[in-house]
Amino acid sequence: MNTKPEKKRGRPSKKNMLQIHGKEEASVKKQPSSLDEILGETLSIYTAKSSEDYRGQLAEMNMTDLQTHAYKVGLVPTPDRKVLTDRLSKEFVKWHSRYGTNVATGQVQTVADLDAKAQKILREGA
């Protein structure tokens, strides 16, 4: 009969522990995450360049076309036209903002178009 107590496992050695620092290990350059980015958005389901153009396209569609388009985009089609167009518009803005184009306002501004105060703020970071 063994009277010695069993050895309990202690803390792992520091060599075996991993330290997490919160920084991304990958390079700063954004890697393409979809086939559309690699091919230059040739397979995009959106043909509109701004949210106003897209809303115009949605207004011209009948209910069946809207539901088919929602299915292609990946949304659940609803029988309410207003709810469906709002969801499609939000998805359009979210999709375009993910890939780096500014379509929330419909216009992309350059630094020269901004007022003096905004230009001063932007120059501080450079």
Side-chain angles (χ1 to χ4, degrees), residues 10-20:
R11 291 187 178 176
S13 68
K14 289 184 180 180
K15 293 178 184 175
N16 295 338
M17 291 176 29
L18 297 174
Q19 183 165 353
I20 298 175

Side-chain angles (χ1 to χ4, degrees), residues 8-91:
K8 291 186 178 180
R9 290 186 141 191
R11 291 187 178 176
S13 68
K14 289 184 180 180
K15 293 178 184 175
N16 295 338
M17 291 176 29
L18 297 174
Q19 183 165 353
I20 298 175
H21 48 71
K23 294 182 181 178
E24 287 188 26
E25 294 292 333
S27 64
V28 177
K29 185 177 177 183
K30 181 183 172 189
Q31 297 294 325
S33 61
S34 70
L35 188 59
D36 286 345
E37 287 182 3
I38 294 169
L39 298 177
E41 297 187 24
T42 56
L43 301 176
S44 175
I45 53 176
Y46 299 109
T47 57
K49 299 294 182 195
S50 70
S51 58
E52 289 82 19
D53 292 341
Y54 185 65
R55 280 209 174 259
Q57 288 178 359
L58 293 178
E60 293 174 0
M61 293 182 187
N62 61 23
M63 205 48 205
T64 306
D65 292 340
L66 278 174
Q67 290 176 338
T68 304
H69 181 63
Y71 180 75
K72 286 180 183 177
V73 170
L75 297 176
V76 177
T78 60
D80 187 7
R81 183 178 183 91
K82 181 172 177 6
V83 171
L84 188 58
T85 53
D86 288 344
R87 285 184 185 168
L88 285 168
S89 298
K90 286 180 185 177
E91 189 67 26

